[in-house]
Amino acid sequence: MKGTTVKRPRKDGTVAWAAVFRAVDPKTGKTRQVWKSGFPTKKAAEDAVKEAVRQADEGAGVYAQPSKITVEAFLIEQWLPAMRSTLRANTLAMYRSTIESYIVPAIGPLQLRLLTPGNLNALYGDLLDHGRRRDGSGLSGRAVEIVHVVLRRSLVDAVKWGLLPRNPAASVDRPRGRTPESAVWAPEQVRAFLESLGDDRLSAMWRLFATTGCRRGEVLGLRWKDVDLTESTVSVRQNVVLVDHQIIIEEPKSAAGRRTISIDPETVAAMRAHRLRQREERMAHGPAWTDSGHVFTREDGTVIHPERVTKWFEQRRKKAELPKLTLHGLRHSHATALLRGGVPIAVVSKRLGHASIGITLGTYAHALPGDDEAAAVLGAALLAGS
């Protein structure tokens, strides 16, 4: 791409300079002439031409026309609406929450074209130190990573749409703040929890959480047609998730998430008892019963709201007088117990529905504290020929 400068007289007798060049319009894909006027000197206009040529060379001939759109307007008014057809509903809701909670309050008023890697580094550092809105403490490393993922992905599109010449997030290292290890219960504490349930209507559900490591949405999405009590298996085929506080049923995100899990004899017995109880409830409600096909439902057969399950778990934990733990902590407790018990990490990874063993290892490396010591002893023994 080539360009030139043009001297333009003003009405007040002074002179201004314009930069003139041809570039590809990112909206139409056609070449057009671009004028940038108002430069006080020829040197300033020449610099503008050089910058336009540099942008075109880096962007396959596309020149990003300067825009005064703010980061907030771009993300909320342009990018999120454009993502509706490409993102899962719960992912879109998570992106929106991330943008509204952490990005807009910090850099929303900034003009998009003025965004720099320095702005992003400062944002990530502040979130790691003081990101929580409730108490001003730092966000976890994983939470700040999500902020970075949203910004990087959105700014890739800003470049594609001709709003930016380059992506400032591409020059920023992915934030790696320290994420504390998840709290877990020891096997005897999990056992104490299950024993404390007594004749709890949903005791089979709590047992399934504790003995399979399934996520909340996976357990609530379980249907009777996904359960084979003869073969002692349950198959994860769908999730119950919340999008803007509304219940949505969707398929697992990945092929690994769609899996069949073996269950132990006690859990099989609990599931059989639960099925019998549900049949009795169905008869008691008669025409008022809703046949959702789900294993764990309200007394009238309707799907249970996920937030209620979380609340019920906390009530039962307190009643059992056990250490504080989130419902998701039962998943971590299950995985940790298996790994410490010597179950191969590949088996645990598949059971949890992780897309790769690397995810499992990265999450539960702390569950294998003696492995390095054992490796040192074995290595020395091999060198000694024993």
Side-chain angles (χ1 to χ4, degrees), residues 74-87 92 157 161:
F74 165 67
L75 292 173
I76 300 295
E77 298 173 13
Q78 294 191 19
W79 189 69
L80 282 176
M83 292 299 102
R84 286 175 185 159
S85 61
T86 62
L87 294 177
L92 184 66
D157 288 330
W161 300 345

Side-chain angles (χ1 to χ4, degrees), residues 293-314:
H294 285 242
V295 176
F296 303 111
T297 65
R298 296 172 64 87
E299 288 87 341
D300 62 358
T302 55
V303 177
I304 303 174
H305 195 286
E307 290 181 352
R308 283 185 175 272
V309 175
T310 299
K311 182 178 179 180
W312 292 342
F313 173 73
E314 175 61 10

Side-chain angles (χ1 to χ4, degrees), residues 33-91:
Q33 190 176 69
V34 179
W35 283 70
K36 292 183 67 180
S37 304
F39 296 101
T41 64
K42 183 177 181 179
K43 176 67 166 57
E46 289 174 342
D47 289 344
V49 171
K50 290 178 182 178
E51 174 63 14
V53 172
R54 184 192 61 74
Q55 288 187 23
D57 290 342
E58 292 182 357
V62 177
Y63 169 70
Q65 182 70 21
S67 169
K68 293 185 178 180
I69 187 172
T70 64
V71 173
E72 178 178 7
F74 165 67
L75 292 173
I76 300 295
E77 298 173 13
Q78 294 191 19
W79 189 69
L80 282 176
M83 292 299 102
R84 286 175 185 159
S85 61
T86 62
L87 294 177
R88 296 163 66 94
N90 62 325
T91 302

Side-chain angles (χ1 to χ4, degrees), residues 205-206 216 304-319 325-327:
M205 181 183 74
W206 304 121
R216 181 180 70 177
I304 303 174
H305 195 286
E307 290 181 352
R308 283 185 175 272
V309 175
T310 299
K311 182 178 179 180
W312 292 342
F313 173 73
E314 175 61 10
Q315 291 171 345
R316 285 155 177 76
R317 180 200 67 80
K318 287 182 177 180
K319 183 179 179 181
L325 189 78
T326 64
L327 177 60

Side-chain angles (χ1 to χ4, degrees), residues 9 15 32 39 57 64 71-72 84 100 112 125 138 143 147 217 238 258 265 302 309 334 350 355 371 381:
V15 176
R32 65 181 179 86
F39 296 101
D57 290 342
V71 173
E72 178 178 7
R84 286 175 185 159
E100 293 177 346
L112 182 67
V147 173
Q238 63 178 22
R258 188 180 176 90
T302 55
V309 175
H334 177 68
K350 184 176 180 181
D371 279 5

Side-chain angles (χ1 to χ4, degrees), residues 119-161:
N119 297 138
L120 301 185
N121 277 324
L123 169 63
Y124 301 156
D126 185 64
L127 291 176
L128 287 169
D129 292 337
H130 312 290
R132 294 187 186 277
R133 291 181 295 172
R134 290 184 179 179
D135 58 11
S137 61
L139 285 181
S140 69
R142 175 56 182 159
V144 182
E145 277 192 76
I146 292 174
V147 173
H148 176 68
V149 167
V150 172
L151 278 170
R152 181 165 182 142
R153 178 167 183 172
S154 63
L155 295 177
V156 164
D157 288 330
V159 174
K160 288 180 181 178
W161 300 345

Side-chain angles (χ1 to χ4, degrees), residues 18-335:
V20 186
F21 49 88
R22 299 194 67 80
V24 177
D25 187 330
K27 294 182 179 179
T28 65
K30 297 180 179 180
T31 301
R32 65 181 179 86
Q33 190 176 69
V34 179
W35 283 70
K36 292 183 67 180
S37 304
F39 296 101
T41 64
K42 183 177 181 179
K43 176 67 166 57
E46 289 174 342
D47 289 344
V49 171
K50 290 178 182 178
E51 174 63 14
V53 172
R54 184 192 61 74
Q55 288 187 23
D57 290 342
E58 292 182 357
V62 177
Y63 169 70
Q65 182 70 21
S67 169
K68 293 185 178 180
I69 187 172
T70 64
V71 173
E72 178 178 7
F74 165 67
L75 292 173
I76 300 295
E77 298 173 13
Q78 294 191 19
W79 189 69
L80 282 176
M83 292 299 102
R84 286 175 185 159
S85 61
T86 62
L87 294 177
R88 296 163 66 94
N90 62 325
T91 302
L92 184 66
M94 185 266 286
Y95 279 10
R96 179 179 294 278
S97 176
T98 298
I99 289 168
E100 293 177 346
S101 299
Y102 305 120
I103 299 175
V104 167
I107 60 174
L110 188 66
Q111 288 186 18
L112 182 67
R113 65 188 177 91
L114 300 180
L115 194 61
T116 67
N119 297 138
L120 301 185
N121 277 324
L123 169 63
Y124 301 156
D126 185 64
L127 291 176
L128 287 169
D129 292 337
H130 312 290
R132 294 187 186 277
R133 291 181 295 172
R134 290 184 179 179
D135 58 11
S137 61
L139 285 181
S140 69
R142 175 56 182 159
V144 182
E145 277 192 76
I146 292 174
V147 173
H148 176 68
V149 167
V150 172
L151 278 170
R152 181 165 182 142
R153 178 167 183 172
S154 63
L155 295 177
V156 164
D157 288 330
V159 174
K160 288 180 181 178
W161 300 345
L163 297 173
L164 285 176
R166 68 182 68 83
N167 183 352
S171 302
V172 177
D173 292 333
R174 182 184 289 262
R176 298 287 185 185
R178 181 181 181 275
T179 300
E181 294 176 2
S182 301
V184 297
W185 280 344
E188 57 269 21
Q189 291 173 314
V190 175
R191 185 165 56 251
F193 172 74
L194 296 177
E195 290 174 353
S196 72
L197 296 174
D199 194 33
D200 190 303
R201 176 180 170 271
L202 294 172
S203 59
M205 181 183 74
W206 304 121
R207 184 171 189 87
L208 203 65
F209 275 120
T211 61
T212 64
C214 283
R215 304 173 179 89
R216 181 180 70 177
E218 293 172 342
V219 171
L220 294 182
L222 196 65
R223 299 160 296 185
W224 283 114
K225 68 179 182 179
D226 303 321
V227 177
D228 188 335
L229 296 181
T230 301
E231 295 295 327
S232 301
T233 62
V234 294
S235 296
V236 177
R237 295 291 178 264
Q238 63 178 22
N239 288 322
V240 172
V241 298
L242 290 179
V243 177
D244 295 329
H245 304 290
Q246 298 297 314
I247 294 176
I248 302 293
I249 298 177
E250 61 182 20
E251 294 183 353
K253 290 183 179 180
S254 65
R258 188 180 176 90
R259 63 200 188 278
T260 297
I261 305 169
S262 296
I263 56 177
D264 63 278
E266 288 187 57
T267 302
V268 170
M271 294 286 282
R272 291 187 189 279
H274 177 75
R275 185 168 58 183
L276 179 60
R277 185 197 295 264
Q278 190 181 73
R279 287 173 178 171
E280 292 172 349
E281 291 174 345
R282 179 171 187 163
M283 292 179 62
H285 280 78
W289 170 268
T290 298
D291 188 5
S292 65
H294 285 242
V295 176
F296 303 111
T297 65
R298 296 172 64 87
E299 288 87 341
D300 62 358
T302 55
V303 177
I304 303 174
H305 195 286
E307 290 181 352
R308 283 185 175 272
V309 175
T310 299
K311 182 178 179 180
W312 292 342
F313 173 73
E314 175 61 10
Q315 291 171 345
R316 285 155 177 76
R317 180 200 67 80
K318 287 182 177 180
K319 183 179 179 181
E321 298 182 345
L322 287 165
K324 191 170 181 61
L325 189 78
T326 64
L327 177 60
H328 198 71
L330 285 179
R331 173 177 169 86
H332 294 311
S333 299
H334 177 68

